[in-house]
Amino acid sequence: MQQLPEDWHRGIVVVAHPDDIEYGAAAAVARWTGQGKDIRYVLVTSGEAGIAGLPPAESGPLREAEEIASAKAVGAHQVEFLGYPDGRVEETLQLRRDLAAAIRRHQPELVVLFNFGDTWAPGFANSADHRAVGRAALDAVSDAGNEWIFPELTDAPWSARWAAVVGPKVTHAVDVTANIEQAEASLAEHRRYLEVLSAEPVQDQVRAIVDRATGPIEGFPAERAVGFELYNFGG
C-alpha cells in the first residue's frame, strides 16, 4: 500500500451531495489543509431531495449551509454548487462540460472523487447520482486539459496530475490519525440531515460513520487512514 502523493498545493473534491465528503474524506481534507494546501469543494447538487418530510425548497438552502459549515470545520473555505437536480443527475455531455469548466476554473493538481461503481459493497447498490457524477468527473479531468473538446469554455485548458477516488478499491492512502476530531466536527454540521436519518443521537452516528471511513488499512502504517484508488494524468 503506497502513500498518496502530497507534493501538490491545490485540490478539489467533486461530489454529488452535501455530506458525501464528510462520509468519506473529510479527515484527509483536514490533513491537507493542515499542511497548508488549498482545498475546494464542488457539489453537483444541493441535496434538496435528501431530508424526508422537508420540501426541496427548504431543504436545499439548509443543506448548502450545512455543507459550507462542514467545509470550514476542516479548513476548506470555497464551496461551489452546480445546481443539478438531486436524485436525477445523469451522466451527460453537459455534466462533463460543467465539471471540466470547474476544473479549469479552480486549477487543481489533485481531483478527489467518490465511488462511482455500481455497488458500495456486495448487495448494496450505489446511488444513480454517485455513479453519474463520479464517471462524468473522471472524464472531465481529461476534458479540462484538451482545448478541442469544449472549445466554448472561456478558461484556459488545465491538466490535473491525479484523480483520487474514495471507494472500495484502494491503491494509496493517507494517515489521518491526527485528524479524527476535525472529521467528526465536520460531519456533525449536518445535524438536521442526521436527525432525520436515524433516531440514534447525532454524535453516536458521527462517531460510527467516521470510524468506518478511517479505519486501519492493511499494509499501510497508520492507526487511522483514508484510502483511495489513484489515477494518473498528464498534468
Side-chain angles (χ1 to χ4, degrees):
M1 183 64 58
Q2 298 181 61
Q3 163 75 38
L4 189 84
E6 292 186 322
D7 58 332
W8 49 273
H9 175 66
R10 180 175 296 160
I12 64 170
V13 188
V14 179
V15 295
H17 315 108
D19 78 59
D20 286 349
I21 298 167
E22 291 70 45
Y23 265 72
V29 172
R31 171 188 170 90
W32 295 329
T33 60
Q35 295 171 342
K37 300 187 193 309
D38 177 355
I39 309 295
R40 305 174 182 188
Y41 291 177
V42 176
L43 288 91
V44 172
T45 81
S46 298
E48 68 275 7
I51 299 181
L54 190 66
E58 297 177 47
S59 180
L62 169 66
R63 300 204 69 199
E64 287 188 3
E66 288 185 338
E67 184 55 46
I68 291 167
S70 291
K72 287 181 180 177
V74 289
H77 297 285
Q78 290 198 40
V79 183
E80 181 177 1
F81 299 91
L82 298 185
Y84 278 74
D86 184 18
R88 292 171 285 154
V89 181
E90 296 180 297
E91 187 185 351
T92 62
L93 199 60
Q94 179 66 49
L95 178 59
R96 275 176 54 191
R97 182 186 296 112
D98 288 345
L99 291 171
I103 291 168
R104 291 188 180 190
R105 189 160 55 247
H106 294 290
Q107 299 185 338
E109 295 158 88
L110 176 73
V111 179
V112 176
L113 308 175
F114 279 69
N115 176 25
F116 48 80
D118 291 335
T119 62
W120 283 111
F124 294 90
N126 199 358
S127 84
D129 283 0
H130 294 159
R131 298 196 309 269
V133 169
R135 291 167 182 167
L138 189 63
D139 288 337
V141 176
S142 293
D143 297 338
N146 188 319
E147 63 187 302
W148 304 118
I149 293 180
F150 297 122
E152 68 275 19
L153 295 180
T154 56
D155 289 316
W158 178 264
S159 295
R161 297 167 67 186
W162 304 282
V165 182
V166 180
K169 184 175 180 181
V170 175
T171 61
H172 293 69
V174 295
D175 183 347
V176 296
T177 307
N179 307 106
I180 301 306
E181 288 187 11
Q182 291 162 285
E184 290 181 354
S186 183
L187 179 57
E189 293 291 349
H190 294 278
R191 177 163 297 276
R192 181 69 180 276
Y193 174 76
L194 293 169
E195 286 173 343
V196 174
L197 193 66
S198 171
E200 255 191 293
V202 166
Q203 200 54 47
D204 290 348
Q205 293 186 60
V206 164
R207 192 173 299 110
I209 291 164
V210 173
D211 282 351
R212 286 196 299 271
T214 62
I217 296 174
E218 185 177 356
F220 189 72
E223 181 182 341
R224 307 288 288 271
V226 174
F228 303 87
E229 181 180 8
L230 189 67
Y231 291 78
N232 292 281
F233 291 89

